[in-house]
């Protein structure tokens, strides 16, 4: 309860941009934030995600799960720095849970999240995004 819990859900691919979330986790080690990653990570090397990333003390790697709803029911923020998408269901699911969403605002979303009070847009600039998480 003394920490904020941030969730990222998705298959580890370059387009899902988990590497950025690991970089953000590294930059926010001084904050009481715990990052949780749910998704198959068999392609983590293709994303330039190293074992160093996986061993950050404020990161928990859960692997592929069938109970993502349990994670969404108790997390503070869904982080979604994806750079290539269509209409990801994880955003719809997180929104249905009333979760706060920290999102890379892609043109393909067509402004769908612009007026959502639970959504904040990231910049993919570590310092600016760290300040936004504070």
């Amino acid at each position: 309860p003394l920490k904020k819990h941030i969730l990222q859900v998705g298959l580890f691919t370059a387009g899902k941009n988990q590497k950025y979330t690991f970089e953000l986790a590294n930059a926010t080690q001084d904050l009481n934030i715990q990052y949780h990653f749910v998704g198959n990570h068999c392609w983590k090397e293709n994303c330039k995600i190293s074992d160093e990333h996986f061993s950050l003390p404020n990161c928990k790697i859960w692997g592929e799960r069938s109970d993502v709803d349990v994670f969404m029911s108790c997390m503070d923020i869904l982080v979604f720095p994806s750079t290539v998408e269509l209409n990801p269901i994880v955003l719809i699911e997180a929104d249905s849970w009333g979760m706060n969403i920290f999102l890379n605002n892609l043109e393909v979303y067509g402004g769908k999240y612009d007026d959502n009070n639970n959504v904040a847009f990231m910049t993919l600039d570590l310092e600016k995004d760290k300040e936004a998480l504070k």
Side-chain angles (χ1 to χ4, degrees), residues 24-41:
L24 191 57
N26 191 40
T28 58
Q29 286 190 59
D30 59 324
L31 304 177
N32 283 328
I33 298 175
Q34 180 71 43
Y35 293 81
H36 301 266
F37 294 83
V38 174
N40 187 314
H41 51 82

Side-chain angles (χ1 to χ4, degrees), residues 70-86:
V70 173
F71 289 86
M72 290 194 174
S73 73
C74 60
M75 297 288 163
D76 298 298
I77 300 169
L78 177 82
V79 65
F80 203 72
S82 193
T83 58
V84 178
E85 281 300 340
L86 293 174

Side-chain angles (χ1 to χ4, degrees), residues 55-129:
S55 64
L56 287 170
N58 59 341
C59 292
K60 173 72 176 151
I61 314 303
W62 293 94
E64 191 169 356
R65 304 282 300 230
S66 62
D67 58 350
V68 176
D69 58 315
V70 173
F71 289 86
M72 290 194 174
S73 73
C74 60
M75 297 288 163
D76 298 298
I77 300 169
L78 177 82
V79 65
F80 203 72
S82 193
T83 58
V84 178
E85 281 300 340
L86 293 174
N87 188 22
I89 194 165
V90 71
L91 295 176
I92 297 163
E93 290 171 334
D95 194 39
S96 75
W97 279 98
M99 290 181 72
N100 292 308
I101 301 171
F102 197 37
L103 173 67
N104 185 20
N105 194 13
L106 301 177
E107 187 176 321
V108 72
Y109 299 148
K112 179 178 180 177
Y113 301 100
D114 290 354
D115 297 325
N116 187 321
N117 292 332
N118 292 334
V119 173
F121 295 114
M122 59 179 47
T123 65
L124 298 183
D125 176 301
L126 280 174
E127 288 305 313
K128 289 179 182 176
D129 290 342

